[in-house]
Amino acid sequence: MAREVGLSLVSSGLSGGLACAALNPLDTLKVRYQVSPGAQGMRAFAGEIIRREGLVGGLWAPGILANSVGIGISSMGRVGAYPYVRDALVGAYGGGERAPKAIMFLAGLVAGGVGYWASSPVYQVKTLAQAEAGLVSEGILETGSRAGRPPAYHTRPLSASLASLARDRALFRGSGALVVRGALLSAGQTTGYDGVKTEARAASLPDGPALHVLASVAGALGAAVFSTPADYVMTRYQNSRDFSSVFDCARHILATEGPLAFTAASPPSSSASAPSSSLAFLSPSSSAGSAASATSDPCPVPLPKFAYLHPGSAAPSRRPPVSLPPLYSPPSLPSPFFMSIAYAG
């Protein structure tokens, strides 16, 4: 059991971190756009960064290590620990036909909330480094939102940045907004994905790769729509010392920039979530299938009506694949390394 838990945590953390490393340019673009209120148009903004700083220096490198480590930590909670939290809650509840849906929701909140909270110090370094990214000449930023000042986090080692936050007693500054952001992202992702699947089944459409990709895109859009407001407030709050609290920051944004400001940088958020969402809802099914046929089911409750049939299993399993909504029928596809990937963006 301990080995299974350890492998689940490690694989989910590594896969989440690697996904963030691959998609870091979109995340950097999102953060830099959020701290540049005067920017006119996402495409022009991105083009100017690439022209002056290059793709790697301007978008790919900033905060990449902190982003990978931070999302790796949060994925260990959101994905790796989720099934064990869920099984413990199911055992405590005593089962019942309606229990699994409510318990999956609660388990997701608990596991995801703890994971995002634990990742808050590293994730904050990521946000700060990306927000002040720009060309540096003789120790001074020449481009970016903080041009003319020395970089405080951009180009600094992760350990030094964390030490600086610790000295300021600010390691968990904005962690509440990060937890809310993560919960809304997960809710939007699963609602969008499951909604498309539900409508497709009602219309008797075949459940295959095409529908899976379409549902994943819907999940990515849902994640972006739900999480972008909290993400914007978190970014602005962590990059300023002018606000007394997250709520004070949100009130200031609403009063000075209007409600549409909370939608800033939705396009790169949904663009980053779409490919990782597709992997998140696909990959775990295959790896879970092989394990289901070789081990006993630890979930001591009656099979609900929507029990899963894992690929390669002779009988239904009470334990659904990690991160999959209840109406998803996993295809029998080879399991890639990203077995438990869940991008938190």
Side-chain angles (χ1 to χ4, degrees):
M1 180 63 179
R3 182 175 181 273
E4 180 187 349
V5 174
L7 287 175
S8 177
L9 294 177
V10 171
S11 62
S12 58
L14 287 176
S15 56
L18 288 175
C20 279
L23 299 170
N24 196 60
L26 290 172
D27 194 50
T28 303
L29 175 61
K30 176 198 70 176
V31 172
R32 294 190 67 171
Y33 188 78
Q34 287 175 336
V35 296
S36 303
Q40 300 295 322
M42 181 72 66
R43 181 178 299 180
F45 182 74
E48 180 65 13
I49 291 176
I50 294 174
R51 185 183 67 82
R52 299 188 65 183
E53 305 172 25
L55 174 62
V56 174
L59 295 177
W60 213 314
I64 187 170
L65 178 59
N67 198 11
S68 298
V69 174
I71 295 302
I73 294 172
S74 65
S75 294
M76 291 174 73
R78 180 187 172 194
V79 182
Y82 165 78
Y84 306 103
V85 175
R86 181 201 61 219
D87 291 350
L89 292 175
V90 168
Y93 184 83
E97 190 169 300
R98 298 187 63 184
K101 291 182 181 179
I103 286 177
M104 277 191 271
F105 179 78
L106 179 59
L109 287 180
V110 173
V114 171
Y116 280 108
W117 180 84
S119 71
S120 182
V122 182
Y123 199 88
Q124 183 179 180
V125 171
K126 182 275 305 182
T127 302
L128 294 171
Q130 291 174 337
E132 68 176 24
L135 288 176
V136 180
S137 178
E138 298 181 355
I140 301 296
L141 286 162
E142 293 186 341
T143 60
S145 63
R146 299 194 176 184
R149 288 180 280 182
Y153 297 93
H154 179 50
T155 71
R156 289 186 69 187
L158 174 58
S159 57
S161 297
L162 288 171
S164 178
L165 288 176
R167 285 194 298 270
D168 295 339
R169 298 182 179 181
L171 277 174
F172 289 92
R173 190 171 189 271
S175 59
L178 177 61
V179 171
V180 171
R181 170 193 176 275
L184 291 173
L185 185 147
S186 298
Q189 187 180 46
T190 53
T191 300
Y193 184 92
D194 197 25
V196 170
K197 284 280 187 171
T198 301
E199 295 300 322
R201 288 196 169 195
S204 299
L205 296 177
D207 189 359
L211 178 59
H212 167 70
V213 171
L214 178 62
S216 297
V217 171
L221 292 174
V225 169
F226 278 86
S227 67
T228 295
D231 185 77
Y232 184 51
V233 173
M234 179 192 70
T235 300
R236 292 288 299 275
Y237 177 70
Q238 290 182 336
N239 280 276
S240 174
R241 293 295 186 268
D242 297 332
F243 306 112
S244 59
S245 67
V246 171
F247 296 104
D248 182 38
C249 178
R251 285 194 296 267
H252 174 80
I253 293 172
L254 181 62
T256 59
E257 302 175 33
L260 290 180
F262 293 102
T263 65
S266 288
S269 295
S270 56
S271 298
S273 296
S276 51
S277 175
S278 184
L279 285 171
F281 286 120
L282 175 63
S283 304
S285 61
S286 302
S287 57
S290 58
S293 60
T295 60
S296 59
D297 192 344
C299 186
V301 294
L303 281 172
K305 290 189 297 184
F306 48 89
Y308 294 77
L309 184 63
H310 291 302
S313 298
S317 168
R318 298 179 181 89
R319 186 170 180 175
V322 179
S323 299
L324 302 183
L327 291 181
Y328 177 56
S329 299
S332 298
L333 296 177
S335 175
F337 176 73
F338 302 105
M339 58 174 291
S340 303
I341 190 171
Y343 182 69

